[in-house]
Amino acid sequence: SLNETYAQRSRKYGMLADNLQTDMHEVIGHASGKINDGVGTSAETLKNYDACLEEARADLVALYFLMDPKLIELGVMDSMDVARAGYDDYIRIGLMVQLSRVELGEDLQEAHMRNRQLVAAWAVDKGRDKNVIEKVSNQGKTYFVIRDYEALHGLWGDLLREIQRIKSEGDYAAGKALVETYGVKIEHELHEEVLKRYASLKI
């Protein structure tokens, strides 16, 4: 089944994908990007949205390069299935898993949580016409299924470009719009479902 395919890939490659993402997030994510001459620091220009947008930018650098064949050439991964497992996990965590840590009815407050939902929800929205990520309901449970990994890779490249532009130009209005549209509000029914599914695990 589709579920089993995802589960097997996640079990086999999930840890490696997570480690590669974390490494690239920290090393080439936070260490990259320039602010245009004459523009203030991001803390000054983007204010309360700076932390979320910077975490999103670093995540997007990692996600974009996770699908680069150079990683196979370098020998740090042996298959694009590592990247696919990383993409699956990111969408699942950003849209569902992390909601288990939030009280029903609350908004997302923490910068990393806002950033993950922003990056995942933006991709769902922008890829809707081409069904890049499909929201599927099966036996009362919701799943987000990536239908086109290459297209998602391209979308995340577009979002990275836009967030870097926002940071470089100090575009507060565009930064605020991105975070408030995609990174703050939680879909109530989905949140309720996640909390029920999580409670049933008795963790």
Side-chain angles (χ1 to χ4, degrees):
S1 73
L2 183 68
N3 235 3
E4 199 44 46
T5 305
Y6 281 91
Q8 281 176 355
R9 189 162 61 201
S10 184
R11 277 194 290 270
K12 188 172 181 183
Y13 295 118
M15 185 67 77
L16 175 58
D18 188 48
N19 287 340
L20 286 173
Q21 268 175 258
T22 302
D23 291 347
M24 290 193 288
H25 170 107
E26 300 297 348
V27 178
I28 59 174
H30 286 312
S32 65
K34 289 171 78 172
I35 292 171
N36 294 356
D37 291 342
V39 174
T41 66
S42 300
E44 291 166 338
T45 59
L46 303 177
K47 303 183 172 66
N48 52 315
Y49 298 108
D50 174 39
C52 172
L53 290 165
E54 174 56 21
E55 292 303 331
R57 197 184 66 81
D59 267 0
L60 285 159
V61 169
L63 289 163
Y64 188 76
F65 285 105
L66 191 60
M67 203 162 256
D68 194 317
K70 188 75 179 172
L71 293 180
I72 295 175
E73 199 185 305
L74 290 168
V76 294
M77 67 186 205
D78 62 6
S79 155
M80 275 299 167
D81 270 350
V82 177
R84 292 183 194 105
Y87 277 30
D88 294 339
D89 284 354
Y90 196 92
I91 292 294
R92 186 167 56 245
I93 292 166
L95 295 178
M96 296 184 75
V97 174
Q98 67 174 7
L99 302 183
S100 65
R101 310 206 309 265
V102 182
E103 294 281 327
L104 190 62
E106 300 264 307
D107 287 342
L108 290 178
Q109 302 293 343
E110 200 272 328
H112 291 82
M113 294 177 91
R114 283 184 164 193
N115 125 61
R116 281 189 289 263
Q117 181 172 289
L118 186 167
V119 169
W122 184 94
V124 171
D125 187 32
K126 300 302 177 188
R128 189 167 277 117
D129 290 351
K130 293 183 175 169
N131 201 34
V132 176
I133 301 169
E134 187 179 357
K135 186 178 179 182
V136 176
S137 187
N138 184 13
Q139 295 178 326
K141 290 181 178 178
T142 302
Y143 301 89
F144 288 90
V145 182
I146 300 170
R147 298 296 187 191
D148 188 338
Y149 291 89
E150 285 297 333
L152 179 54
H153 176 245
L155 283 172
W156 276 339
D158 293 341
L159 183 57
L160 173 57
R161 188 184 298 113
E162 173 59 6
I163 291 180
Q164 184 59 59
R165 182 200 68 75
I166 287 168
K167 195 176 170 80
S168 296
E169 296 175 5
D171 189 343
Y172 176 80
K176 176 183 177 181
L178 258 186
V179 177
E180 293 291 346
T181 303
Y182 296 103
V184 177
K185 295 293 174 197
I186 301 171
E187 190 187 317
H188 190 83
E189 279 180 18
L190 183 62
H191 194 182
E192 222 169 12
E193 180 195 326
V194 168
L195 292 176
K196 275 184 193 153
R197 283 166 73 174
Y198 199 76
S200 73
L201 299 173
K202 297 185 167 51
I203 295 173

